[in-house]
Amino acid sequence: MNPSTSRRDFMKTTAATLLAPSIITSVNAQTNDGDGAIVGHGSHRYKIQANWGKLDASKFPVKNCHEMVMDSKGRLIMVTDETKNNILVYDRSGKLLDSWGHEYPGGHGLTLWNANGEEFLFICDPNSNKVTKTDINGKVIFTIEHPSKVGAYKPEDKFLPTETAIGPNGDIYVADGYGSQWILQYSSKGEFIRKFGGSGDGDDQFATAHGITVDYRNKANPTLVITSRVHNAFKRFTLDGKYLSTIFLPGAFVCRPVIHGDHLFAGVCWSRLRYLNQTNNSGFVTILDKNDKVISNPGGTKPEYRDGKLQLMVQDAATVGGTFMHCHDVCVDNDENIYICQWNAKQTYPIKLARV
């Protein structure tokens, strides 16, 4: 029997029979930074390990921990906008394995693409107005620059890319989330194909198209899931840019959608905590099942549906103890632990939510 599986089964059984006492004990025992608290709901509960990714800031500083991906070797690769070390590579224990990168002053989006066993990274830098494809060690292969160079934008249009996703045929989708709100589709070689979306409140438009991913859970019909953060929503599109549906997440300013197994995970950068406005230091994590229903909000209030409609979700400040400020991205490992990267979080390192 796998020891980790056995332990998880034990923890789940314990939580099911002694739920309220276990949560009260863990919260009472936590430190001021939330370390040790149990967060989440239903089948998806986690223990906060607030010091998991902490490093010597004099040697390996960070500004904002923007995004993280896991490669085929189980290494956790994170991008920051600190040019002393744009990329930090951890193992799952929190040990630093490698660091590189000095040319991404706005290092923001990080996408891993496994092309028949060979792995590549796509780094979005809105400060430099470009997307860079590298090998797994940072060697630059090509860049996607301002779309005016391929006739997709006017020269004066803003291009501040925040995220990429790679389609089943290698097509590259770029979310211009801090710029003109278009999704730009390129071939695997960087040749422009089309754009769709744009700024607005229409179903097929975006207000901060911050993140994008390809949803392969329906293998016969993969789709794009794209963030519209100001709308508190994810929007689903076909691979050729046709709008399909909206997943409304009231109260949650969601970042990149991350799909692991049957579930969609996302960091929530802010929630509507005060006067129903965007509130600083009010982030959490949200988890949706394959039917687009929220089932757990680690660090947030318990999801509630009334007559099939999801109710307002906000941070549960009493539980997280100041640990969650602005949850910008999540990475999920093979044991379903979650690693959280935070923006505007006092230059702190990633934290871990250990599945229980």
Side-chain angles (χ1 to χ4, degrees), residues 15-281:
T17 56
L18 298 171
L19 178 56
S22 67
I23 292 178
I24 292 171
T25 300
S26 65
V27 172
N28 289 343
Q30 76 185 65
T31 63
N32 290 333
D33 62 4
D35 194 52
I38 302 295
V39 294
H41 307 93
S43 60
H44 286 70
R45 289 185 170 87
Y46 306 84
K47 184 176 183 178
I48 296 176
Q49 296 182 1
N51 298 313
W52 172 83
K54 188 173 290 186
L55 302 173
D56 183 345
S58 67
K59 296 179 180 179
F60 304 102
V62 296
K63 291 181 181 177
N64 298 289
C65 297
H66 273 135
E67 294 195 343
M68 180 182 283
V69 295
M70 187 174 72
D71 70 8
S72 60
K73 296 179 180 179
R75 303 186 309 162
L76 298 160
I77 306 170
M78 190 201 77
V79 65
T80 174
D81 48 357
E82 171 55 72
T83 54
K84 292 181 181 178
N85 41 229
N86 282 129
I87 300 293
L88 297 177
V89 183
Y90 290 92
D91 69 11
R92 287 173 55 185
S93 74
K95 177 184 176 181
L96 184 69
L97 300 176
D98 196 6
S99 66
W100 52 264
H102 310 285
E103 62 271 38
Y104 306 105
H108 184 279
L110 186 66
T111 301
L112 179 78
W113 180 39
N114 191 319
N116 300 315
E118 187 175 5
E119 293 180 306
F120 300 93
L121 297 171
F122 289 82
I123 302 171
C124 284
D125 183 352
N127 290 27
S128 300
N129 314 109
K130 65 183 180 181
V131 177
T132 303
K133 178 183 178 181
T134 76
D135 68 12
I136 199 67
N137 297 310
K139 181 182 177 180
V140 174
I141 297 170
F142 67 73
T143 59
I144 294 174
E145 298 182 337
H146 196 283
S148 62
K149 295 188 175 183
V150 294
Y153 278 17
K154 297 177 181 178
E156 63 270 23
D157 291 340
K158 290 182 179 180
F159 180 57
L160 304 169
T162 50
E163 191 59 79
T164 58
I166 312 302
N169 64 349
D171 280 0
I172 304 162
Y173 297 88
V174 179
D176 189 10
Y178 291 162
S180 298
Q181 306 302 310
W182 294 98
I183 306 301
L184 300 125
Q185 183 179 354
Y186 298 83
S187 74
S188 61
K189 297 179 180 179
E191 303 158 328
F192 178 72
I193 298 173
R194 64 170 61 87
K195 67 178 182 180
F196 56 93
S199 179
D201 294 329
D203 284 341
D204 61 349
Q205 295 177 309
F206 301 100
T208 312
H210 188 270
I212 183 171
T213 194
V214 180
D215 186 351
Y216 290 103
R217 287 176 293 180
N218 181 345
K219 293 184 174 64
N221 187 31
T223 56
L224 296 168
V225 178
I226 305 170
T227 307
S228 191
R229 192 163 68 183
V230 173
H231 290 146
N232 294 176
F234 292 123
K235 296 188 176 186
R236 192 178 296 277
F237 286 76
T238 64
L239 295 179
D240 57 358
K242 294 181 176 60
Y243 170 80
L244 295 172
S245 61
T246 294
I247 306 168
F248 183 42
L249 303 166
F253 289 78
V254 285
C255 293
R256 168 167 65 169
V258 175
I259 295 173
H260 180 88
D262 285 337
H263 296 91
L264 185 156
F265 299 75
V268 176
C269 207
W270 302 272
S271 53
R272 297 187 183 276
L273 200 61
R274 183 175 175 82
Y275 302 129
L276 296 185
N277 288 329
Q278 176 179 314
T279 307
N280 286 334
N281 301 313

Side-chain angles (χ1 to χ4, degrees), residues 285-299:
V285 174
T286 191
I287 304 172
L288 288 71
D289 67 14
K290 61 183 178 181
N291 298 312
D292 298 334
K293 181 178 180 181
V294 179
I295 59 170
S296 181
N297 285 325

